[in-house]
């Protein structure tokens, strides 16, 4: 991991001038309870297909010694462990949308917190539907609670008290722990040309206005005027990115090789989804430029990995539109 990160930095350094913010890339400072806000890309894979070198989407916002999980993909507990943290350390969770690559690790978080007697009651923020999802997860823990741990006379606590949910909608702003969080419905779920702002099917981009620093996280999105507006003037933009040609090529190879069954119409539909509901490298550059952000990092990465010389092409595509610092994050990088 360490070696790969250094190699990535060297490659990025050969292409772009690295701003001081990237001097922190190799640090793993989540255990350092400094007042400065830090963003850690726990899992940088663009789901849902698991990857060898990247964990499923999850991030950690660190502020004043508190840890906020932003999306909770599978494997999140191990990524936290690699930072010297556990699921009990979490102050709150923010979920961008309800696709399983962003939520599967939430069950682990809740279950392990219950099993290890972590402070009860985790606050979870998310789009409409999050309440129903979390209620289902907590209900599914009841049989384990009824069975207990084989210790006579002991009782287990009620799993349904482990968490509560605050659902957020487009343009909502909340204040917690001395900072503000604003959300916009992005274009990840868009079915027509116009973005739907009043539907219950919302996929949220988050802006964290922290003491001395603002960070915008796109979540999964296609090009979106709402996300541009939300990210406007942010110090750091954390953006998803997909190489749609590469992803479709992989899909076609999997179908041709018999690993996957998908008729041509399904492949075409998937391609349309990837191109309109996610961001190409050039879209990331355009978003960063339009929003006038201080720096952009790519996560939820779906494309040729760092060992492929073509990996650098993504940064070149971004640089055509945006002339600020840019990097493709790896797991456990800190910004
Ligand atoms: Zn995703
Ligand atoms: Zn998604």
């Amino acid at each position: 991991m360490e070696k790969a990160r250094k190699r990535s930095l060297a490659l990025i350094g050969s292409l772009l001038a690295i701003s001081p913010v990237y001097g922190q890339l190799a640090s793993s400072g989540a255990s350092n309870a400094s007042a400065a806000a830090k963003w850690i890309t726990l899992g940088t894979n663009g789901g849902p297909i698991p990857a060898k070198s990247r964990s499923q989407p999850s991030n950690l916002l660190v502020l004043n010694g508190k840890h906020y999980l932003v999306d909770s993909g599978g494997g999140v507990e191990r990524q936290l462990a690699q930072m010297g943290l556990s699921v009990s350390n979490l102050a709150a969770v923010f979920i961008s949308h309800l696709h399983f690559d962003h939520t599967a690790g939430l069950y682990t978080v809740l279950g392990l917190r219950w099993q290890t007697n972590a402070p009860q009651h985790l606050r979870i923020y998310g789009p409409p539907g999050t309440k129903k999802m979390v209620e289902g997860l907590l209900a599914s823990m009841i049989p384990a609670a009824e069975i207990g741990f084989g210790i006579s006379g002991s009782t287990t606590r009620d799993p349904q008290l482990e968490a509560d949910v605050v659902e957020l909608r487009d343009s909502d702003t909340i204040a917690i722990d001395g900072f503000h969080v604003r959300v916009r419905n992005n274009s990840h779920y868009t079915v027509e040309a116009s973005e739907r702002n009043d539907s219950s099917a919302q996929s949220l981009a988050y802006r964290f206005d922290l003491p001395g620093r603002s960070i915008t996280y796109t979540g999964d999105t296609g090009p979106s005027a709402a996300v541009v507006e939300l990210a406007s003037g942010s110090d750091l933009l954390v953006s998803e990115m997909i190489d749609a040609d590469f992803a479709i090529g992989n899909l076609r190879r999997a179908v041709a090789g018999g690993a996957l069954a998908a008729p041509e119409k399904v492949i075409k539909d998937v391609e349309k989804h990837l191109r309109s509901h996610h961001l190409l490298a050039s879209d990331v550059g355009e978003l960063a430029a339009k929003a006038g952000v201080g720096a952009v990092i790519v996560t939820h990465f779906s494309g040729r990995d760092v060992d492929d010389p073509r990996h650098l092409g993504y940064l070149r595509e971004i640089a055509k539109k945006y002339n600020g610092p840019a990097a493709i994050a790896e797991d456990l990088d800190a910004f």
Side-chain angles (χ1 to χ4, degrees):
M1 181 63 68
E2 190 63 30
K3 203 193 273 177
R5 197 177 299 145
K6 279 185 182 140
R7 189 170 58 241
S8 163
L9 268 176
L11 288 170
I12 294 163
S14 69
L15 183 73
L16 296 170
I18 295 173
S19 89
V21 68
Y22 297 116
Q24 303 167 11
L25 259 179
S27 75
S28 56
S31 54
N32 174 10
S34 84
K38 207 176 277 187
W39 184 275
I40 295 162
T41 49
L42 291 176
T44 57
N45 184 48
I49 310 294
K52 277 187 195 169
S53 58
R54 295 173 182 273
S55 194
Q56 293 284 47
S58 60
N59 303 270
L60 199 66
L61 173 64
V62 186
L63 180 70
N64 293 326
K66 288 192 170 184
H67 302 90
Y68 306 87
L69 193 61
V70 185
D71 279 334
S72 185
V76 64
E77 76 286 358
R78 185 160 185 272
Q79 299 307 98
L80 286 169
Q82 295 201 59
M83 303 301 298
L85 298 168
S86 82
V87 293
S88 356
N89 294 107
L90 302 173
V93 179
F94 296 89
I95 297 292
S96 64
H97 67 299
L98 302 183
H99 285 162
F100 295 120
D101 50 322
H102 296 252
T103 61
L106 194 55
Y107 190 44
T108 315
V109 166
L110 293 169
L112 294 181
R113 283 174 66 91
W114 172 80
Q115 197 165 341
T116 57
N117 268 324
Q120 205 167 16
H121 198 251
L122 181 65
R123 169 64 55 85
I124 300 169
Y125 300 92
T130 305
K131 202 160 187 276
K132 193 173 179 184
M133 174 186 71
V134 171
E135 280 171 3
L137 294 177
L138 296 178
S140 78
M141 287 160 60
I142 292 172
E146 287 171 350
I147 291 164
F149 300 102
I151 301 165
S152 62
S154 73
T155 55
T156 57
R157 65 191 198 190
D158 180 358
Q160 298 190 87
L161 302 177
E162 290 297 315
D164 76 338
V165 173
V166 175
E167 291 190 346
L168 301 172
R169 288 174 173 269
D170 187 53
S171 298
D172 276 354
T173 301
I174 54 165
I176 59 164
D177 299 345
F179 65 94
H180 288 88
V181 186
R182 188 154 73 96
V183 302
R184 290 304 307 268
N185 181 25
N186 62 35
S187 62
H188 190 47
Y189 291 157
T190 303
V191 287
E192 300 98 7
S194 61
E195 292 174 18
R196 18 181 211 198
N197 287 324
D198 54 356
S199 158
S200 61
Q202 299 210 355
S203 168
L204 302 179
Y206 282 91
R207 178 178 177 131
F208 300 91
D209 282 311
L210 311 156
R213 198 175 186 206
S214 55
I215 301 174
T216 298
Y217 171 62
T218 62
D220 286 11
T221 187
S224 160
V227 177
V228 171
E229 186 271 329
L230 184 73
S232 180
S234 295
D235 298 305
L236 180 67
L237 172 66
V238 182
S239 178
E240 73 127 87
M241 198 216 88
I242 190 171
D243 177 343
D245 293 333
F246 176 74
I248 289 297
N250 281 346
L251 176 61
R252 286 196 181 281
R253 267 189 295 281
V255 171
L260 214 65
E264 184 60 23
K265 177 173 180 332
V266 170
I267 296 175
K268 288 269 185 251
D269 285 347
V270 170
E271 182 164 9
K272 199 173 160 202
H273 161 72
L274 295 181
R275 292 191 187 283
S276 55
H277 298 160
H278 289 282
L279 297 173
L280 306 177
S282 57
D283 296 327
V284 174
E286 197 165 315
L287 166 59
K290 279 184 177 169
V293 299
V296 61
I297 58 163
V298 166
T299 189
H300 200 280
F301 175 78
S302 178
R304 297 177 192 281
D305 230 324
V306 66
D307 292 326
D308 189 321
R310 286 169 286 187
H311 184 76
L312 276 179
Y314 304 128
L315 290 173
R316 288 196 192 93
E317 281 299 310
I318 292 171
K320 281 181 192 168
K321 303 269 176 70
Y322 171 70
N323 61 14
I328 295 170
E330 294 176 33
D331 287 10
L332 310 182
D333 279 345
F335 298 88

